[in-house]
Structures are given as C-alpha cells and as structure tokens.
Amino acid sequence: MREQDTSRSSRASAAPDPNSHHDPNDSTVPPGNALATALGMLVVFTILCGLVYPLAITGAAQVAFPAQANGSLVVRDGAVVGSSLIGQPFTAPGYFWSRPSATAVAYDGTSSGASNLGPSNRALHTAVADRVAALRAADPGNTAPVPIDLVTTSGSGLDPDISPAAAYYQAPRVARARGLDGPTVRALIDRHVLGRVIGILGDPHVNVLALNLDLDALVAGKR
Amino acid sequence: MTGVGIAQLVAFAVVLVALAIPLGGYMARVYQGEARWSQRVLGPIERGLYRLCRVRPQEDMPWTRYATSILWFSLFSALAVYGLERLQASLPLNPAGFDGVPPNVAFNTAISFTSNTNWQAYGGETTMSHLTQMAALAVQNFLSAAVGMAVLVALIRGFTRRHAPGIGNFWVDLTRTTLYILLPLSIVFALFLVATGIPQTFDHQAAIATLERAADGHPQGLALGPVASQIAIKMLGTNGGGYYNINSAHPFENPTALSNFVQTVSILLIAVALCFTFGRMVKARRQGVVILIAMAVIFVPITLVTTWAEQQGNVTLVDTGVDQVASATQGGGNMEGKETRFGAAASALWATSTTAASNGSVNAMHDSFTPLGGLGPMWLIQLGEVIFGGVGCGLYGMLLFAIVAVFLAGLMVGRTPEFLGKKIEAFEMKMATVGILMPSVCILIGTAIAVATTAGSSTIANPGPHGFSEILYAFSSASGNNGSAFGGITVSGDFYTIALGVCMWLARFIPMIAVLAIAGSLASKKTVPASSGTLPTDGPLFVFLLVGVVILVGALTFLPALGLGPIVEHLSI
C-alpha cells in the first residue's frame, strides 16, 4: 500500500490511484459486493473496537491503575466503607451532611439521576425552602446564609463533595454533637479543602466521606 | 461572571488549538496516505482488513456508490445494535442480569448510535449489559464518527480533483479513520481517564456498608464496568452517549475538575483539528483557519452569556435565604443539577461545547439551567451543528453554509460564484439548501406535532414555557444529531422513541447524501483560476459573510419558537 500512497501524494486527489489501468470497470461493481463488504467490515470492526480494544484497556488499567480501575474504594479497619468518588447519605447531626440527592433511594450508586426541575418551577422553590428550614431546625442558633449547594440536588445524585462554605456552615452543629470545640472542627475542614486545579479549573470543594472519616478518627483519638 | 470563568475559557482555547494543529496535520497525512510511521505499524492490519472483507482499496467510487456503501453499512450497524440490545439477556457479560431492551427503546437507541446522535431513552447502568455497551454502543461510537469524517474527506476531494469520476473509496476512508486516528487517540485517552478515577473492570457492583449503614440499613451498590474505554471514544467521536444514565455528571464518568477539563477539550478536539486538515488538503491553509475563526466568533459570545447566566444563580430562590454568590469558600451560582467539583463556569463551558459540537454529553442538567443559560446551548444545536459540529459532519455542514455564502455574494455582484476554484451552480445550491434545511424541518414539524398531541405533550416534567422548551430541545437534539436533553421529559414511550428515531435518521443521512452529491459534482468540474471578480474566501469579509448566513438562517428559523420557550420564561421570572 505504501508504494501507491507515495504516488498519490504528488497529486491533489487523496484517494487510491484513480487512473488505475487494470480495471476500468471498478466503479461499476455490482451492489451485491457492497453488501458483503459492509457486513464484513461491521463484523471485523466490532471485534476490533468492541472486544479487543476494551479488553486491552482493561488489562492495562488493572495493571497500571488498579485502585482507580476498580472504583476508588475507601477502606477503614480492613472493611470497604465506600468509594471516594461516590457520595453517601448522612443524617446524624455528628456527621457532615452531603447535598440532597435526587436518586430514588438517596445516593443509590447503581442508578444515577437528577431532579431536572426547571428554574421557574415552583416545586424547586418549595424543595429548597424546605431544605433550608430543615437545616435551620437542626442548628437553631445558626443564622448564616445557607450555601446554595447544600440545598440543591446535584447532576448525578451522587455528588461526593460539598463546597467549603457548606462544610463551614455545618461546623457548629457537628462540633456540638461530637463534643468538640469550633476551632478544632474548622481546622479539620481547612485540611480537607481542595482548591481549583491550577487555580482556575472547577470549584473549591470538600470530599464529605473523607472529612467524616477523619472526623471519626479525630474523635476516636481523643478518647 | 467571575474571572475564573474567563481564565478557564482562555486556557481551554489555548490547549485546544495547541493540540488541534498537530492533530490536523496528522489527519491530513493519514488521508493523503503520507502518515509513514503509523502506516509502518498499522499498515499490515489495514491490508489484512481489506483482504478479509474483499475491499479493493484502488477502487475509486462515484458519489452514488460512496453513498450506497454508507447507507448499507449504517443499516447493518443499526440492525446489529438492535439485535444485541434485544438479545442481551441470553448473551455473556451481563453480570447484573438485565432483560432484553424493549423494542421501541432498542429501535431508538440503534438509530441514535448509528447516526452519531447518542440520544439516550434509557439509563445506561440500569438497562445495558457490559456486552451491549462494548460491542454495540461503543463500536458505533467509533464507526459513526468515522463515517462523518469519511464524508468530509470525500467532499474535500470534490474541491481538489478535476474532471474526476470518483470521490474516493468509502471503505478505505472508514478504515483509515478508525485505525489510524480514532483508535490510537482513544487508547491514550482511555488510560488517562482511568488514572483520573474512571473504572475499567468487568466486576459486578459490590454492596458496600457505608459509614451510616447502621442508621439506614441500605448497603450502597456501585455500578462498575468497562467505562473508561467507552468514555474515551464517546468524547472524541462527538458521540456523547454515556455509560451511566446521568452521563458526564456521574463521578465515575467524570471524577475530577481535571478530567472534566480534558474531556471538554476532547469534545471539540477532532472537530477543530479537521479545520486544519481541510486547509492542508485543499492547499489553502488560511481557508481552514478562516472557517475556524467564523466558528469561534459565534461560540465565544454564547459561551460568555451562558457562563454569566449560570454564575448569576436562580433569582427565584433569593427569598429562601440561600447564598448563591461566588466567594473564597464556594463557587456559587445556579447549582441545581450541577456537581460541586465542577461548579457553574465549568458546567457552562461544557454545555456550550457539547451543543456547539454535536456531542451531547452533559456534566450538568441543562433542564435546570437558567432560561438564558439554557437558551445558548439550544440555539447552538439549532444553528445546524456547524459551530465546530460533529466530527466531519460539523465541517461539511459549515461548508454547505460557505457555498450559500459565496452564492449570495455572487448574486450581489452579478458573477457566477466560485469557492476554492470550483464554480458553484444551481445543482450545488439545491443540494446545499436541502442539507441545511433538513434538520430545521424535522425540528419544527416534530415539535409542532408533539405540542398538538397528548402523546407528545403529556410527558413533560416542568410546567409552562419550560415544558415547551423540553419538547423543542428534544427535537432539536435529535435532528441536530446532538443527543443532549432537557432531561425531565420522559422519552421512553412509543411517541418519542419513534418520532425522534425518524428525525435522527433523516437529519443524519439526507444532508449526508446531499454533501456527497455536491462532492461528486465538484470533482467532475474543472478548476477555474481566480479572477478579479472572485470573492476572496480567506479574509475577514468572508468570515463576516459566513457568520451572517449562519446566524440569519438560525435566527429566522427559530426565533419564534425560542420566544415561546426560554425567552418568555426568562421574562416571566
């Protein structure tokens, strides 16, 4: 093929030698041939792109990046307690809470989903107002404005993160429930703030599971 | 808008162009048979494929045979996808034990993936087996992208050849695109994506005792699978069909701000690079750059408006006592349907990129965007998917607009219009018009039928003008071969699976046939030298003309419909 390619490069047209002498009727091959070729190409590319390629990538990934390739699992005391990429629901006042989730069962890792509520839909307004009220009820002394991410559902329903503001907002409640002082909890959050990548990509966030695991460790260490 | 949003857009443009220039050059070498190093490595495989499938690479196809080859290939592809979906329950690699896909959804999905639309009337992790994802859907991610690029190359040959009977060999173009361009890029990209956290395994989901398992009694399952290999080509091939229901908002499909940035670049990478490929192949590099600039002139303002609108937040929520303002400790903005790690700016840039290109993947829910934030992406689709557009089809669509632009300029000065040395005559104009108007016809007629019938209007999720926007967006997405959605609307019923399936098929293949007809006609013509009456098509005047034609067609066709949806919604809140 390379020889023909070389001859081709000198002309404007890029297709295989259009002036081939050996078979002037090439362009009028009966359509039956096209059918067989179409089927054959589909089968061959299905094997190549649909089996060989994903199997090869799986093999390479399992060798080079086994942790990531298997779901970025988080282990505590020998037991898997979650994935660092998939959020979990938290309801106890002594844990930092994740964002509301729109999946049927909150944070169902087998079935992602969003609310798809439109901006003008009153149901969105009602849901947000209810969540604000619930946060206020859980922490009556806290009059700070509620960070928007803490009262809206994410795209996936599995958001593992909250904004730093949403973590700091919950600090008084968590501190009280855990018998810790405010500065200790805020210092813990400080250590978990992940900034923007190279200062411009994405938004600052805190991984809720990692934060809560460290919170458990902190409390356990004090005993 | 925050400074971060602008900085991100600048970084995006710089990285994109820096990668697209060398890739564009490489693709030109591939199509001209000059990519020596890769031919040495992959040439034996290429020749083996030809022998196996009885392809004669020397055969030069007239445009009619090129077109029928594509149609047979796409028809068989759709049948194969349909068959694998229906039979997946009795096939291997189905660890979750999913049933066969229902006939109407399987029909819709088969057309969706073979037409490079990747509209999803199903939730991936709750419907499709590993085998269906890999051997049916991901295969079409490669092949439908390769078909689009092949047709572009055939059109380019139309411009460069003189008195030629044929426009190239479809099987050669298909094979080279897949083997030399899409597969190598996907392999590198897939491994990068695994490193950022995307799963790549055949294991079944595990039941995990979460930190609060004692409280709620529910172990958490995780849907795993061979995800990264599929996401790589899903992004590069402007396919957009996610492994998971919620697409690139899912943390397993898009784990970090870095993976998000690189994926956003990959949406536009090949489409931008093809502009440089085009310039090289027609031996007028400025021509490729001029078309790229015309695309950017439309893309950048819409991106800025969308970013601004999403960063502003939702005005209806102000009285609930929430804080939507960006600060040192939060990104703020309209966060319903958005992921914290991305935030408003990165979600807006993704939204305009994925709709400018006919990618259609989403990292945030467009249905929950502010009215103005949702208007930009929807209009980008309606402009005909030519602002970058799908791989291959975006640029050939833009070249149809270029043909109309030189024709209009020719009418103004009373000369026969020329483009790249070829006379543009009645036949080219007729075909260009068919190609440009076909998607618009599908969008407007489809939307009209849907709003006039219970079957179409009863499945919307949001009341009022936003519900109308959901329908308009659905038909725009299908007819633009985009695949993104205002996702609240339920589209798995008979009406939408069939109506959108028909739109996807017609809007994909009728313009494609028109483009091939133009390619055949141009290839058979002589090349005329430029004269004093020739409109220069490689300068600012042509950028202005081209942008003007695209905006004019898009505005005249869709402003009334947009007025009933996002614009009235914006004015009412």
Side-chain angles (χ1 to χ4, degrees):
Chain A
M1 212 68 46
R2 223 178 305 143
E3 302 81 351
Q4 290 143 6
D5 290 338
T6 318
S7 72
R8 207 179 302 152
S9 65
S10 60
R11 59 175 76 229
S13 60
D17 189 3
N19 298 332
S20 55
H21 303 292
H22 53 277
D23 191 354
N25 295 323
D26 256 344
S27 58
T28 54
V29 178
N33 199 338
L35 289 187
T37 304
L39 263 182
M41 290 297 259
L42 179 61
V43 170
V44 167
F45 277 120
T46 299
I47 293 168
L48 190 63
C49 303
L51 296 174
V52 176
Y53 160 72
L55 286 171
I57 297 291
T58 306
Q62 290 291 338
V63 172
F65 311 105
Q68 294 96 316
N70 293 305
S72 306
L73 300 179
V74 178
V75 177
R76 180 172 71 173
D77 304 331
V80 175
V81 293
S83 162
S84 66
L85 294 177
I86 302 295
Q88 297 184 5
F90 292 99
T91 51
Y95 277 127
F96 289 91
W97 296 347
S98 304
R99 299 178 64 184
S101 168
T103 57
V105 177
Y107 287 92
D108 180 355
T110 62
S111 181
S112 56
S115 77
N116 278 310
L117 290 173
S120 61
N121 195 332
R122 288 309 286 178
L124 174 64
H125 185 277
T126 309
V128 170
D130 288 351
R131 291 168 193 147
V132 170
L135 282 167
R136 296 272 189 235
D139 190 10
N142 194 343
T143 54
V146 179
I148 182 68
D149 60 296
L150 200 53
V151 289
T152 46
T153 63
S154 62
S156 61
L158 305 172
D159 196 338
D161 305 310
I162 54 177
S163 68
Y168 290 121
Y169 176 87
Q170 300 184 61
R173 185 196 74 226
V174 171
R176 204 164 46 245
R178 293 281 185 146
L180 298 167
D181 57 4
T184 308
V185 174
R186 276 194 294 278
L188 180 71
I189 299 171
D190 288 344
R191 287 200 297 280
H192 277 271
V193 171
L194 300 160
R196 294 187 170 94
V197 176
I198 62 167
I200 54 172
L201 306 182
D203 272 349
H205 56 276
V206 171
N207 185 297
V208 182
L209 178 58
L211 180 64
N212 280 331
L213 283 170
D214 259 14
L215 180 67
D216 278 353
L218 183 77
V219 173
K222 287 213 165 172
R223 283 206 195 101
Chain B
M1 187 184 338
T2 57
V4 167
I6 294 176
Q8 177 189 254
L9 182 60
V10 171
F12 176 69
V14 169
V15 172
L16 182 58
V17 173
L19 291 173
I21 290 175
L23 178 61
Y26 170 72
M27 289 194 289
R29 289 197 295 281
V30 166
Y31 289 123
Q32 293 173 325
E34 296 163 4
R36 307 207 168 281
W37 191 83
S38 10
Q39 278 174 347
R40 208 159 297 154
V41 179
L42 298 167
I45 303 178
E46 184 189 355
R47 288 188 288 274
L49 283 179
Y50 294 155
R51 264 197 300 278
L52 218 58
C53 303
R54 305 214 180 129
V55 174
R56 279 166 304 167
Q58 283 81 10
E59 179 193 348
D60 189 32
M61 297 180 174
W63 78 264
T64 45
R65 183 154 162 77
Y66 203 102
T68 45
S69 300
I70 287 179
L71 290 176
W72 281 121
F73 185 66
S74 300
L75 182 67
F76 288 142
S77 294
L79 289 173
V81 174
Y82 182 85
L84 280 168
E85 287 181 90
R86 298 286 292 137
L87 299 174
Q88 66 176 10
S90 27
L91 294 171
L93 290 176
N94 182 13
F98 293 132
D99 290 336
V101 181
N104 65 337
V105 173
F107 162 83
N108 182 274
T109 307
I111 289 181
S112 169
F113 276 71
T114 43
S115 65
N116 200 249
T117 311
N118 298 37
W119 173 265
Q120 294 176 287
Y122 61 90
E125 73 268 44
T126 54
T127 314
M128 300 295 179
S129 74
H130 291 346
L131 186 75
T132 309
Q133 298 263 24
M134 280 165 39
L137 305 184
V139 168
Q140 288 309 314
N141 284 356
F142 280 99
L143 299 180
S144 66
V147 167
M149 291 165 74
V151 171
L152 171 69
V153 173
L155 177 61
I156 293 175
R157 288 192 197 111
F159 284 110
T160 56
R161 289 183 172 184
R162 284 161 227 169
H163 301 298
I167 55 173
N169 184 311
F170 170 65
W171 305 116
V172 172
D173 293 337
L174 178 81
T175 304
R176 291 201 173 157
T177 305
T178 310
L179 205 57
Y180 290 83
I181 299 169
L182 298 178
L183 260 176
L185 282 177
S186 297
I187 290 170
V188 175
F189 192 33
L191 289 174
F192 168 81
L193 292 175
V194 177
T196 67
I198 299 187
Q200 181 72 25
T201 171
F202 288 96
D203 270 356
H204 189 32
Q205 58 219 25
I208 293 169
T210 60
L211 276 197
E212 274 200 359
R213 185 193 171 181
D216 68 10
H218 288 293
Q220 185 181 44
L222 298 179
L224 301 171
V227 186
S229 55
Q230 183 162 339
I231 302 314
I233 185 60
K234 158 208 164 195
M235 304 312 299
L236 288 166
T238 56
N239 300 285
Y243 197 94
Y244 296 102
N245 177 44
I246 220 71
N247 214 285
S248 287
H250 197 295
F252 275 158
E253 199 155 321
N254 194 359
T256 65
L258 180 65
S259 72
N260 184 69
F261 180 75
V262 180
Q263 285 191 34
T264 318
V265 169
S266 69
I267 291 174
L268 295 184
L269 177 62
I270 291 181
V272 171
L274 282 171
C275 292
F276 296 107
T277 307
F278 167 70
R280 277 169 180 267
M281 289 181 73
V282 298
K283 305 222 180 328
R285 294 196 190 184
R286 270 181 65 120
Q287 189 67 62
V289 174
V290 156
I291 286 177
L292 183 58
I293 289 172
M295 293 172 171
V297 164
I298 296 176
F299 177 76
V300 172
I302 294 180
T303 300
L304 292 176
V305 170
T306 306
T307 311
W308 170 81
E310 290 310 294
Q311 193 65 63
Q312 286 295 99
N314 184 341
V315 292
T316 70
L317 299 180
V318 170
D319 65 356
T320 58
V322 293
D323 180 9
Q324 305 185 70
V325 181
S327 69
T329 55
Q330 71 165 11
N334 174 29
M335 286 302 286
E336 181 69 22
K338 290 190 181 61
E339 299 283 298
T340 313
R341 62 195 180 282
F342 308 145
S347 300
L349 177 60
W350 182 297
T352 53
S353 299
T354 196
T355 49
S358 68
N359 187 287
S361 60
V362 293
N363 76 346
M365 297 305 110
H366 293 187
D367 211 351
S368 296
F369 272 31
T370 60
L372 289 185
L375 172 66
M378 183 156 20
W379 199 43
L380 276 167
I381 299 176
Q382 292 166 343
L383 288 179
E385 290 297 9
V386 294
I387 310 308
F388 307 112
V391 291
C393 43
L395 185 51
Y396 72 59
M398 193 60 155
L399 290 172
L400 295 184
F401 276 103
I403 287 172
V404 173
V406 294
F407 186 79
L408 288 179
L411 284 183
M412 288 182 220
V413 296
R415 305 278 298 234
T416 308
E418 299 153 19
F419 186 47
L420 294 167
K422 296 284 187 176
K423 279 203 155 56
I424 303 300
E425 292 167 297
F427 180 75
E428 285 80 22
M429 269 308 291
K430 279 183 203 156
M431 289 297 139
T433 311
V434 168
I436 288 171
L437 291 185
M438 193 64 219
S440 306
V441 167
C442 290
I443 295 170
L444 293 177
I445 292 180
T447 305
I449 293 173
V451 295
T453 56
T454 320
S457 58
S458 62
T459 67
I460 56 173
N462 287 287
H466 199 84
F468 174 75
S469 295
E470 288 182 343
I471 297 174
L472 180 62
Y473 197 105
F475 281 95
S476 301
S477 177
S479 307
N481 290 155
N482 182 276
S484 65
F486 271 21
I489 188 170
T490 303
V491 291
S492 53
D494 285 340
F495 175 79
Y496 278 106
T497 48
I498 293 169
L500 296 176
V502 170
C503 285
M504 286 188 273
W505 193 262
L506 292 179
R508 166 79 165 174
F509 291 105
I510 289 182
M512 192 177 269
I513 292 167
V515 167
L516 290 170
I518 292 174
S521 164
L522 292 178
S524 67
K525 294 184 184 194
K526 63 179 185 193
T527 304
V528 291
S531 69
S532 59
T534 305
L535 171 77
T537 56
D538 58 356
L541 177 65
F542 185 69
V543 171
F544 177 79
L545 263 175
L546 185 55
V547 169
V549 170
V550 172
I551 296 283
L552 207 65
V553 172
L556 290 177
T557 314
F558 292 107
L559 268 184
L562 291 170
L564 295 173
I567 294 173
V568 79
E569 186 186 14
H570 174 71
L571 296 175
S572 67
I573 63 172

